Amino acid sequence: MSKPFGLVIHGGAGVILRANLTPEMQAKYNASLTLARDTGYAILENGGTSLDAVVAAIKVLEDDPLFNAGKGAVLNANGMCELDSAIMDGKTLSAGAVAGIKHIKNPITLARDVMEKSPHVFLVGEGAEIFAKQLGYSFVDNTYFQTELRKKQLERAKQLEVEKKTSASASLHEKAGFVTVPDGYFIQTSHYGTVGCVALDKAGNLAAGTSTGGMTNKKYGRVGDSPLIGAGTYASNATCAVSATGWGEYFIRVVLARDIAAQMEYKDTPLTQAAQNSLNKVAQLGGDGGLIAIDHNGNITMPFNSPGMYRGYRLSDGRNGIAIFEQ
Amino acid sequence: MSKPFGLVIHGGAGVILRANLTPEMQAKYNASLTLARDTGYAILENGGTSLDAVVAAIKVLEDDPLFNAGKGAVLNANGMCELDSAIMDGKTLSAGAVAGIKHIKNPITLARDVMEKSPHVFLVGEGAEIFAKQLGYSFVDNTYFQTELRKKQLERAKQLEVEKKTSASASLHEKAGFVTVPDGYFIQTSHYGTVGCVALDKAGNLAAGTSTGGMTNKKYGRVGDSPLIGAGTYASNATCAVSATGWGEYFIRVVLARDIAAQMEYKDTPLTQAAQNSLNKVAQLGGDGGLIAIDHNGNITMPFNSPGMYRGYRLSDGRNGIAIFEQ
């Protein structure tokens, strides 16, 4: 019997309500998820590496304005897109990550270059782009990433912020100018929509990658879980590969991706149960979101505790699917 | 019998050689470590929280130019100090972290304010300082942090960089301008010297904190393990509190601090064994450094695989010590 291979992708979890998602929009999401998934799968099928598959699938989602990564990322408080991404190689435990990227079309490729072409794991802000320049990256204007939908979402978030600041019932956080509640405006909420991919290749190597624009109206140089190795992104051939999406602060506190792998490593917990346990920890703290994971045997899981999560999978045994709503 | 309490501190691990450390210098380190330790311990003894003890001990080390944190931090490639810090509350799993700080005297206090006064966990660069300004922090000029010793270390690192770039045996990384080998200049190596504290208070609550200037001659906005929750800093009342110091990239890849806690949580591994296992993973990947940890029963461990680690501890059962060399 040949060894199993395959991949899982996500395009974010959050308040995705059937009522707000027209059949046309749903078809667009399905088509884009299918393209990303099958682009990655073709690489695996042809004997390519899980790293190559992860990068290829995520590039499709970064290039598609439907998702909060690359083109179509949410806008920060200054109206700019600031992108974060990470990748991890389960074979070597090598990892690369970038945060606060403003001019690199595909942050996932820069994360991979940090992993492979620098001795560092995590480069932030302008410094990361200086590194990219030295590697010969071409730069795009930040307007390349910005879409009309995201501009409207930012306007709405700023309105909400004012309303909350001046509300009698405003919390200390809200008075300080933080809008932390999902805004629910136009299908996708303000701080979800991250994309990611986890893959197992024919050689038995796992990889995980994540890419995001973070939260609408984010300020103060906020970095979420996506680029943090162990929180939003993790892969080890000994256990599994994980990419998370959701309210990043809670995923950081739970160190979610590594927590799933740790249960497998130290307690022999099966992947699905381990992932659910870790997501339950997020929920207990008050957070929400979801994750995708694949283990070294080709088992997959895609749990979420938000109303929806854009996701897709394709495995060498023929199983495949694209979904947005119910698990 | 009253419940145990106490704390452990570190002032960095690295190539600390007896031959390079004069009795006078050793006495200075001992005095500073003792002051930091006893400042934190007094808070615990008086019924204060582990968070307060961690912040107080780390402030002493940040204010002392001997250590690579706050005043006396190493210089980046542009001759500036860029500071990273994190704190975690084991009771609530709340956490706060900052990176790339240039004008806040005590980064550990800003990390704590991120935890307690923002809904976020991780704020980076100028944004983090804008947040500080809104909280009324006074700013110091970056020259406050800079010392003559660190300027000489930077000069030496830049010389080494040129030598390595032009060396026939230079690796790809070295040709790209990365000096990754310890420089060994003046006692402390170029990328060690982080400070940290872990504490258990009378109420049974654990906390961990870490503060660093990172690597001498760092560029590209490099962020190490110190401010990354789960890598260099982690605390959970269910298990233990950990603060790491060493070659950060390896600690990130191992997700070291959470890995120690995970072994206790999922495999009932005792603290000392768990810490050694995780440090062995760092060594297997080629990294070095050390860590301090305390568990919810007041057990402590301070392993390192570098020639030395500045450290101190004091426990309610009377045990205490200050050390630099052998374990």
Side-chain angles (χ1 to χ4, degrees):
Chain A
M1 221 180 85
S2 60
K3 287 177 77 172
F5 63 92
L7 84 174
V8 190
I9 61 166
H10 71 77
V15 182
I16 308 163
L17 298 176
R18 238 183 239 286
N20 292 335
L21 196 59
T22 63
E24 292 73 25
M25 283 302 289
Q26 193 165 336
K28 278 191 185 183
Y29 276 107
N30 284 346
S32 187
L33 290 167
T34 303
L35 177 63
R37 181 196 68 177
D38 292 350
T39 300
Y41 188 82
I43 290 171
L44 297 176
E45 197 168 34
N46 291 327
T49 67
S50 51
L51 281 173
D52 284 342
V54 162
V55 169
I58 289 178
K59 280 176 77 171
V60 170
L61 299 171
E62 284 179 338
D63 291 345
D64 191 320
L66 286 175
F67 302 98
N68 177 19
K71 188 173 183 64
V74 300
L75 306 182
N76 71 9
N78 300 322
M80 298 276 280
C81 291
E82 275 188 326
L83 311 171
D84 306 337
S85 184
I87 192 164
M88 189 159 183
D89 177 356
K91 182 182 179 187
T92 60
L93 297 181
S94 295
V98 291
I101 298 302
K102 291 179 182 169
H103 304 98
I104 307 298
K105 187 174 173 239
N106 292 108
I108 188 70
T109 62
L110 184 56
R112 185 174 184 173
D113 278 336
V114 170
M115 175 172 76
E116 296 180 343
K117 296 174 183 168
S118 96
H120 298 311
V121 170
F122 193 20
L123 303 184
V124 171
E126 204 185 341
E129 297 203 331
I130 292 171
F131 176 67
K133 189 161 271 180
Q134 293 191 356
L135 292 180
Y137 272 71
S138 56
F139 279 42
V140 296
D141 193 89
N142 197 260
T143 54
Y144 161 78
F145 301 109
Q146 301 168 16
T147 62
E148 287 308 309
L149 172 64
R150 299 306 189 186
K151 288 177 185 169
K152 286 180 187 164
Q153 287 182 336
L154 177 61
E155 277 170 34
R156 177 73 183 125
K158 285 183 181 283
Q159 279 170 9
L160 273 175
E161 188 175 58
V162 171
E163 287 166 23
K164 286 191 176 293
K165 266 187 187 173
T166 53
S167 155
S169 64
S171 70
L172 273 177
H173 285 168
E174 289 164 350
K175 281 180 178 152
F178 291 112
V179 176
T180 59
V181 289
D183 117 7
Y185 185 69
F186 274 31
I187 302 158
Q188 196 120 308
T189 61
S190 57
H191 53 285
Y192 304 102
T194 299
V195 310
C197 179
V198 295
L200 171 66
D201 63 28
K202 287 182 178 177
N205 293 317
L206 290 165
T210 311
S211 187
T212 188
M215 292 169 66
T216 298
N217 199 27
K218 69 183 175 186
K219 45 197 128 174
Y220 308 122
R222 180 260 187 187
V223 172
D225 63 313
S226 302
L228 303 189
I229 300 304
T233 306
Y234 184 79
S236 168
N237 280 4
T239 52
C240 61
V242 180
S243 171
T245 167
W247 198 329
E249 277 72 12
Y250 294 95
F251 288 72
I252 296 174
R253 292 165 60 192
V254 169
V255 200
L256 178 114
R258 178 63 184 122
D259 189 53
I260 295 169
Q263 292 173 68
M264 299 182 69
E265 183 171 348
Y266 299 127
K267 215 179 171 180
D268 285 328
T269 309
L271 178 73
T272 300
Q273 186 59 50
Q276 192 59 54
N277 291 344
S278 297
L279 193 58
N280 289 348
K281 288 183 181 180
V282 168
Q284 280 157 18
L285 292 177
D288 64 352
L291 66 99
I292 56 171
I294 187 167
D295 72 14
H296 52 285
N297 294 318
N299 298 306
I300 65 166
T301 190
M302 304 171 288
F304 53 97
N305 66 358
S306 48
M309 179 169 81
Y310 300 105
R311 60 202 189 276
Y313 62 96
R314 190 164 168 188
L315 302 165
S316 55
D317 63 11
R319 283 180 297 154
N320 71 87
I322 296 286
I324 301 177
F325 301 108
E326 295 78 11
Q327 313 234 11
Chain B
M1 219 180 86
S2 61
K3 290 176 76 173
F5 63 91
L7 84 174
V8 190
I9 62 167
H10 70 77
V15 182
I16 307 164
L17 299 177
R18 238 184 239 285
N20 293 335
L21 197 59
T22 63
E24 292 72 26
M25 283 302 289
Q26 193 166 337
K28 278 191 186 183
Y29 277 106
N30 284 346
S32 187
L33 290 166
T34 303
L35 177 63
R37 182 195 69 177
D38 292 349
T39 300
Y41 187 81
I43 290 171
L44 297 175
E45 197 168 33
N46 291 326
T49 67
S50 51
L51 282 172
D52 284 342
V54 162
V55 170
I58 289 178
K59 280 176 76 171
V60 170
L61 299 171
E62 285 179 338
D63 291 345
D64 191 319
L66 287 175
F67 302 98
N68 177 18
K71 187 172 185 64
V74 300
L75 305 182
N76 72 9
N78 299 322
M80 299 275 280
C81 292
E82 274 187 328
L83 311 170
D84 306 338
S85 184
I87 193 164
M88 187 159 184
D89 177 356
K91 181 182 179 187
T92 59
L93 297 181
S94 295
V98 292
I101 298 302
K102 292 178 183 168
H103 304 97
I104 307 298
K105 188 174 173 240
N106 292 109
I108 189 70
T109 61
L110 184 55
R112 184 173 184 175
D113 278 335
V114 169
M115 175 171 76
E116 295 181 342
K117 296 176 183 167
S118 94
H120 299 311
V121 169
F122 194 19
L123 303 184
V124 170
E126 203 185 344
E129 297 203 332
I130 292 170
F131 176 67
K133 188 160 272 180
Q134 293 191 357
L135 292 180
Y137 272 71
S138 56
F139 278 42
V140 297
D141 194 88
N142 197 259
T143 54
Y144 161 77
F145 301 110
Q146 301 169 17
T147 63
E148 286 308 308
L149 172 65
R150 299 307 189 187
K151 286 176 187 171
K152 286 180 187 164
Q153 287 181 337
L154 177 62
E155 277 169 34
R156 177 74 183 125
K158 285 183 180 287
Q159 279 170 7
L160 272 175
E161 188 176 60
V162 171
E163 287 167 21
K164 287 193 175 291
K165 265 187 184 172
T166 54
S167 155
S169 64
S171 70
L172 274 178
H173 284 168
E174 288 164 348
K175 281 181 178 150
F178 292 110
V179 176
T180 60
V181 288
D183 110 12
Y185 186 68
F186 275 31
I187 303 158
Q188 197 120 308
T189 60
S190 58
H191 52 287
Y192 304 101
T194 299
V195 310
C197 178
V198 295
L200 171 66
D201 62 28
K202 288 183 176 176
N205 293 317
L206 290 165
T210 311
S211 185
T212 189
M215 292 170 65
T216 297
N217 200 26
K218 68 183 177 185
K219 44 199 129 176
Y220 308 123
R222 177 261 188 187
V223 172
D225 63 312
S226 302
L228 303 189
I229 300 303
T233 307
Y234 184 78
S236 166
N237 279 3
T239 52
C240 61
V242 180
S243 171
T245 167
W247 198 327
E249 277 70 12
Y250 294 94
F251 288 73
I252 296 174
R253 292 164 60 192
V254 169
V255 200
L256 176 114
R258 178 64 185 120
D259 189 52
I260 295 169
Q263 292 173 66
M264 297 182 69
E265 182 171 347
Y266 299 128
K267 215 180 172 179
D268 286 327
T269 308
L271 177 73
T272 300
Q273 186 59 51
Q276 191 58 55
N277 291 342
S278 297
L279 193 58
N280 289 347
K281 289 184 180 179
V282 167
Q284 280 156 20
L285 292 175
D288 64 352
L291 66 99
I292 55 171
I294 187 167
D295 73 13
H296 52 286
N297 294 318
N299 299 306
I300 66 167
T301 190
M302 304 171 287
F304 53 97
N305 65 359
S306 48
M309 181 169 79
Y310 301 103
R311 60 202 190 275
Y313 62 96
R314 189 164 168 188
L315 303 165
S316 55
D317 63 10
R319 283 180 296 153
N320 71 88
I322 296 287
I324 301 178
F325 301 107
E326 298 75 13
Q327 313 235 7

